[in-house]
Amino acid sequence: DKAHWSSRFFLRYIKFFLISFVCLIAMWMSYQAANGIFLVMILGLALKDFLDNARIKDILKKILIFISPYFFAAFIFKCALPMPKGYRKTEIFAFSEMTSGLYHNIIKLFKTLSSYLNDIWSVLAVLLFICFIASLVIFSKRKRSFILSDAAAGVLFAALAIPLSYGTF
């Protein structure tokens, strides 16, 4: 029975991988700024599992499973798909520039937002963030003694999701 479960899991993973790969390539070919949304979804699922009291080892396995088609599609998009010159920007941050690139995305995002937002919208954004963290703590299935770690997980999610939602290219 365990062999049947393993083969079923493998077939489901292959199906997930292929569908994700095709969708990611289509996304990058049409609207590259959306490429970070896939990573935000992975982070959101990991946060949900964390708050549902899943084991860290299981969460990391799931992240690895979910992120593998992303990196494969990024490699194919960057290296194997011919792009006409000047058609689309296909540069991805080099690994050594990833931290500074994400930092600059955050700065650019907040500058853009601050140019659109007046004081009332800024206050509402802060209130929304506070409500987000509070909802994580309230609806977490973990023991109440883990309130700080639940809140910290929410802050970490937001700190990663905000710049990733702005794109990684």
Side-chain angles (χ1 to χ4, degrees):
D1 192 40
K2 189 175 182 178
H4 172 70
W5 184 87
S6 295
S7 64
R8 186 171 172 212
F9 171 80
F10 183 73
L11 290 174
R12 290 173 70 190
Y13 172 70
I14 294 297
K15 206 181 319 181
F16 167 78
F17 187 94
L18 292 174
I19 291 169
S20 296
F21 173 78
V22 169
C23 291
L24 286 162
I25 291 293
M27 175 186 60
W28 278 321
M29 296 296 286
S30 60
Y31 186 60
Q32 290 179 26
N35 68 53
I37 298 302
F38 191 83
L39 298 175
V40 172
M41 289 175 22
I42 293 169
L43 289 172
L45 292 170
L47 177 63
K48 182 191 177 311
D49 284 351
F50 179 77
L51 296 174
D52 287 345
N53 213 18
R55 294 183 342 200
I56 299 296
K57 182 179 176 182
D58 293 336
I59 294 170
L60 293 175
K61 276 186 200 176
K62 193 178 280 189
I63 289 172
L64 183 62
I65 287 169
F66 289 159
I67 208 163
S68 58
Y70 181 87
F71 284 119
F72 184 68
F75 174 78
I76 296 298
F77 178 73
K78 178 72 174 151
C79 300
L81 291 177
M83 300 296 284
K85 290 284 184 203
Y87 178 63
R88 284 193 174 91
K89 182 181 174 197
T90 59
E91 291 89 25
I92 190 169
F93 293 132
F95 189 73
S96 61
E97 299 170 345
M98 193 64 69
T99 305
S100 66
L102 288 175
Y103 171 77
H104 290 296
N105 272 359
I106 292 170
I107 298 301
K108 187 176 178 182
L109 174 66
F110 283 114
K111 283 181 180 178
T112 302
L113 287 176
S114 68
S115 70
Y116 291 120
L117 300 177
N118 56 23
D119 291 336
I120 188 69
W121 288 109
S122 299
V123 170
L124 289 174
V126 170
L127 286 174
L128 181 66
F129 180 74
I130 291 169
C131 289
F132 169 70
I133 299 300
S135 71
L136 293 180
V137 171
I138 291 168
F139 295 112
S140 173
K141 293 180 181 170
R142 294 161 39 96
K143 295 178 183 172
R144 288 292 145 214
S145 58
F146 292 110
I147 288 175
L148 285 179
S149 65
D150 293 347
V155 170
L156 179 62
F157 169 79
L160 293 172
I162 289 170
L164 286 174
S165 68
Y166 212 61
T168 56
F169 277 59

